Amino acid sequence: MDISFLGTSSGTPTKARNVTAIAIIESQGSDWYLIDCGEGTQHQLLHTRLSLNSLKAIFITHIHGDHCYGLPGVLASAGMNGRTKPLTIVAPKGIKEWFEATQVHTQLYLPYELTFVETEQFTEQAFGQFAVASTKLSHRVPSYAYSFTEVKVDASLNIEKLNALGIPQGPIWGKLKSGQDVEHEGQILRSAEFIRYLNKPRKVVVCGDNDTPEILRAECEGCDVLVHESTYTEALASKAKEAGHSYAKLVASFAQSCELPNLVLTHFSPRYQLDSEAETSMNEIQTEAQAEYSGNLFLASDFDTYRLSKLGELSLVLEK
Amino acid sequence: MDISFLGTSSGTPTKARNVTAIAIIESQGSDWYLIDCGEGTQHQLLHTRLSLNSLKAIFITHIHGDHCYGLPGVLASAGMNGRTKPLTIVAPKGIKEWFEATQVHTQLYLPYELTFVETEQFTEQAFGQFAVASTKLSHRVPSYAYSFTEVKVDASLNIEKLNALGIPQGPIWGKLKSGQDVEHEGQILRSAEFIRYLNKPRKVVVCGDNDTPEILRAECEGCDVLVHESTYTEALASKAKEAGHSYAKLVASFAQSCELPNLVLTHFSPRYQLDSEAETSMNEIQTEAQAEYSGNLFLASDFDTYRLSKLGELSLVLEK
């Protein structure tokens, strides 16, 4: 499964970074999921292989503009490009109302069905290869993390057990391996009892704005990758007037305490420049996080694609 | 005065063209006016010298998404970047209501005052160096053109007349030259009676979506530059299902009949490719327009800046 960053700036876009949008891409086929949709997300998509026709669902973390102002454009363009498949949007209260007001005032008609699910009412739901769950975070407005856990994992059959019980090789074995329970000679054979998973299910947690990483401890159980905002360094966080955001040290020390194998930081304040000579540079975020965290640390850039292998190894496979 | 194109595509953005936004820039200083504000306008601005702090007013031609979905982002970013100066938005009915719904649902607070003027109620108003007027066009929803006419034009005093009337050289002459009427020995001296304009006032008409250029005949009187959509060629216009748009021949033949000196076409369907070998190429629009129009014809590209000289000559001064 891949994680593609379409925007990695907080608040306003810069020449190098757009505002937030993240794609989770299934490991087979072209289906994908969009988490957040800052203004210009449809423009960023033009430079990727992702098609609005293969978009399975949109998840919005919170209703601030830098996370949702691209939604009307993405939905309108999907329609103009011929999408007819229904689309689900999981979003906090307010997004549906705003989008419906947008449709009315700007006379936007969509040639496909939209279903809104309020994150406040959302517990867990299957979307394609994933079970998606939400966790409430701490921010100035209701903000959520979404976790994506693989539903189907490569498995082998416990052939010794099947033979010992005298279950004949054939369609029954195939069904059990594909996860189906089977009735055989008046008995229910449970697939789960005959399967050996070759790997543990992959799990990625993608967070909205959040000033308390600790709130994620339970959700980070068994998690391979945490994608979390690091708007500031500790020094700038204390100077910034606005509350509700995390800084590198806070997130990194939390990730260390959870023994998280992979941490991707994003949503950087526009003050942080790529130029290491700049007054406020991305190097500071890197250095501050590295001092706390011994796992695999990544600072996302726009158009970075990270691949999570079946073994839970994360690597950057595509850079801009 | 300059005309900068920030977006020249209709409906959806392409890799080469954003959706509509056009800047009119005053000939002195850095004040400017934005006409339409498609999604991604604030991103385009990052690649120009235009500052959201020097933006004097926004004019929206109509409420379709490709002309207005960038408005919340532009207004929010102006605030985050420290704007405190009030801003006027002239826009058709619906934009104010949509923006206010956006503010409520996405908790957007602006640190400056916004004044909305409904285009339906707008006749003519002075903005900086310009008198701005609107003309109703023909489209699927109410759509307008905005004309920008210079208010102050270089002038010389009619010295012979002043001397003949015995008006002494000094402060009186200065006031008359700057356009002020003056009381002198119980008589009102009207500035206009002592001034010789060196050039006629420059006038630019920028149009929203419109399927009937003829509607602009009166507004094109004395106009130096007409900026008009040419979404299609004649062949594609008849095939396109949607109504309400113009094609190259229609606009060009109208411009010819008005003896307009300069015509800039924009708002091209994403079907038209820059590549002259493409199935549907920009060359077709150029060829179709040129066959009808003998004035100066330009097909706008994103980041093109055209300068209108005091003599009414239009030239491309900046290309991407």
Side-chain angles (χ1 to χ4, degrees):
Chain A
M1 66 188 283
D2 288 359
I3 310 167
S4 260
F5 287 82
L6 301 166
T8 58
S9 178
S10 76
T12 58
T14 70
K15 278 189 192 177
R17 298 179 185 276
N18 196 26
V19 285
T20 300
I22 298 169
I24 299 280
I25 308 157
E26 294 197 350
S27 52
Q28 284 173 334
S30 56
D31 288 351
W32 64 286
Y33 307 86
L34 179 62
I35 300 126
D36 282 339
C37 189
E39 182 184 353
T41 296
Q42 65 164 324
H43 302 68
Q44 300 289 87
L45 286 171
L46 294 173
H47 301 276
T48 71
R49 64 177 182 84
L50 298 168
S51 155
L52 286 177
N53 246 322
S54 309
L55 174 61
K56 304 300 279 185
I58 299 176
F59 300 86
I60 302 291
T61 64
H62 65 297
I63 59 168
H64 280 155
D66 59 327
H67 293 254
C68 68
Y69 281 169
L71 198 56
V74 157
L75 299 179
S77 289
M80 281 188 271
N81 292 334
R83 182 181 179 113
T84 54
K85 282 181 276 189
L87 184 65
T88 298
I89 300 179
V90 181
K93 200 169 166 51
I95 291 286
K96 176 173 184 271
E97 291 74 8
W98 172 59
F99 184 70
E100 287 175 350
T102 301
Q103 285 198 281
V104 168
H105 291 303
T106 69
Q107 306 201 7
L108 171 60
Y109 162 78
L110 297 181
Y112 55 90
E113 193 188 338
L114 268 192
T115 304
F116 281 93
V117 178
E118 267 185 19
T119 317
E120 286 81 352
Q121 312 299 328
F122 178 84
T123 48
E124 188 173 301
Q125 192 176 323
F127 286 91
Q129 291 181 357
F130 303 113
V132 182
S134 70
T135 303
K136 189 161 187 192
L137 303 172
S138 167
H139 191 52
R140 299 196 306 277
V141 296
S143 180
Y144 295 87
Y146 295 100
S147 66
F148 291 75
T149 307
E150 260 184 319
V151 176
K152 284 195 180 174
V153 178
D154 290 348
S156 67
L157 278 177
N158 185 337
I159 290 169
E160 300 79 10
K161 190 172 175 181
L162 288 164
N163 285 335
L165 291 173
I167 297 162
Q169 195 167 356
I172 297 179
W173 286 31
K175 285 182 182 170
L176 290 172
K177 193 178 173 192
S178 75
Q180 296 175 62
D181 297 336
V182 181
E183 195 179 331
H184 175 62
E185 296 179 351
Q187 227 186 336
I188 300 291
L189 306 176
R190 308 248 169 245
S191 166
E193 293 172 13
F194 296 93
I195 271 176
R196 283 181 185 134
Y197 287 105
L198 299 181
N199 308 297
K200 78 171 192 62
R202 285 173 278 189
K203 180 177 182 181
V204 173
V205 179
V206 181
C207 305
D209 292 4
N210 178 36
D211 60 17
T212 311
E214 186 60 37
I215 227 167
L216 288 153
R217 189 163 295 275
E219 191 57 281
C220 283
E221 192 73 33
C223 168
D224 297 292
V225 185
L226 175 65
V227 177
H228 200 288
E229 60 126 320
S230 172
T231 310
Y232 303 114
T233 51
E234 188 175 23
L236 260 189
S238 60
K239 275 190 218 165
K241 282 179 212 157
E242 47 145 26
H245 288 296
S246 280
Y247 50 92
K249 184 179 177 182
L250 189 69
V251 185
S253 59
F254 165 74
Q256 183 69 20
S257 76
C258 292
E259 297 180 2
L260 269 168
N262 301 291
L263 173 64
V264 187
L265 299 179
T266 182
H267 194 269
F268 307 112
S269 163
R271 295 174 221 209
Y272 295 97
Q273 308 287 308
L274 285 175
D275 176 5
S276 62
E277 303 294 312
E279 198 188 340
T280 318
S281 131
M282 287 297 297
N283 284 1
E284 294 173 44
I285 291 182
Q286 175 100 31
T287 305
E288 185 171 306
Q290 264 172 342
E292 303 290 326
Y293 179 64
S294 60
N296 294 312
L297 173 70
F298 299 89
L299 273 58
S301 293
D302 283 26
F303 300 110
D304 277 357
T305 295
Y306 296 88
R307 182 156 296 160
L308 181 59
S309 77
K310 290 180 179 177
L311 298 172
E313 290 157 346
L314 190 72
S315 55
L316 180 60
V317 291
L318 194 69
E319 276 180 282
K320 192 180 186 178
Chain B
M1 67 186 283
D2 287 0
I3 311 167
S4 259
F5 287 83
L6 302 165
T8 57
S9 178
S10 76
T12 59
T14 69
K15 279 188 191 177
R17 298 180 186 275
N18 196 26
V19 285
T20 300
I22 297 169
I24 299 280
I25 308 156
E26 294 196 351
S27 52
Q28 283 173 333
S30 55
D31 288 351
W32 64 286
Y33 306 87
L34 179 63
I35 299 127
D36 283 339
C37 189
E39 182 183 355
T41 297
Q42 64 165 323
H43 301 68
Q44 300 290 87
L45 286 171
L46 293 172
H47 300 277
T48 71
R49 65 177 181 83
L50 298 167
S51 155
L52 286 177
N53 246 321
S54 309
L55 175 61
K56 304 300 279 185
I58 299 176
F59 300 85
I60 302 290
T61 63
H62 64 297
I63 59 168
H64 280 154
D66 59 328
H67 294 254
C68 69
Y69 282 169
L71 197 57
V74 157
L75 298 179
S77 289
M80 282 187 270
N81 293 333
R83 182 182 179 112
T84 54
K85 282 181 277 189
L87 184 66
T88 298
I89 299 179
V90 180
K93 200 168 165 53
I95 290 286
K96 177 173 185 271
E97 292 73 8
W98 171 60
F99 184 70
E100 287 175 351
T102 300
Q103 286 199 280
V104 169
H105 292 304
T106 70
Q107 305 201 6
L108 171 60
Y109 163 78
L110 297 181
Y112 55 90
E113 195 189 335
L114 268 191
T115 303
F116 281 92
V117 178
E118 268 184 19
T119 317
E120 286 81 352
Q121 312 299 328
F122 178 85
T123 47
E124 187 172 302
Q125 191 176 323
F127 287 91
Q129 292 181 356
F130 303 113
V132 183
S134 70
T135 303
K136 190 160 188 194
L137 304 173
S138 168
H139 190 51
R140 299 196 304 278
V141 297
S143 180
Y144 296 86
Y146 295 99
S147 67
F148 291 74
T149 307
E150 260 184 318
V151 176
K152 284 196 181 173
V153 177
D154 290 347
S156 67
L157 278 178
N158 186 338
I159 291 169
E160 299 79 10
K161 190 172 176 181
L162 288 163
N163 285 334
L165 292 172
I167 297 162
Q169 194 166 355
I172 296 179
W173 286 31
K175 284 182 183 168
L176 290 172
K177 191 178 175 190
S178 74
Q180 295 175 61
D181 297 339
V182 182
E183 195 179 330
H184 174 65
E185 297 180 350
Q187 226 188 335
I188 300 292
L189 306 176
R190 308 250 170 243
S191 166
E193 292 172 12
F194 296 92
I195 272 177
R196 283 181 185 135
Y197 288 104
L198 299 181
N199 309 297
K200 78 171 192 64
R202 285 172 278 189
K203 180 177 182 182
V204 173
V205 178
V206 181
C207 305
D209 293 4
N210 178 36
D211 60 18
T212 311
E214 186 58 38
I215 226 166
L216 287 153
R217 189 163 295 274
E219 192 58 282
C220 283
E221 192 73 32
C223 169
D224 297 293
V225 185
L226 174 67
V227 177
H228 199 287
E229 61 126 321
S230 172
T231 310
Y232 303 114
T233 51
E234 187 175 23
L236 259 188
S238 59
K239 275 190 216 163
K241 283 179 211 158
E242 47 146 26
H245 288 295
S246 279
Y247 50 92
K249 184 179 176 182
L250 189 68
V251 185
S253 59
F254 165 73
Q256 183 69 20
S257 76
C258 292
E259 296 179 3
L260 268 167
N262 300 291
L263 173 64
V264 187
L265 300 178
T266 182
H267 194 270
F268 307 111
S269 162
R271 295 173 221 207
Y272 295 97
Q273 308 288 308
L274 285 175
D275 176 6
S276 60
E277 301 294 311
E279 198 188 340
T280 320
S281 132
M282 287 296 297
N283 284 2
E284 295 173 44
I285 291 182
Q286 175 100 32
T287 306
E288 186 171 306
Q290 263 173 342
E292 304 291 326
Y293 178 64
S294 60
N296 294 313
L297 173 71
F298 300 89
L299 274 56
S301 294
D302 283 26
F303 300 110
D304 277 358
T305 294
Y306 296 87
R307 182 156 297 160
L308 180 61
S309 77
K310 290 180 180 177
L311 299 173
E313 291 157 347
L314 190 71
S315 56
L316 181 60
V317 290
L318 194 69
E319 276 180 284
K320 194 180 184 178

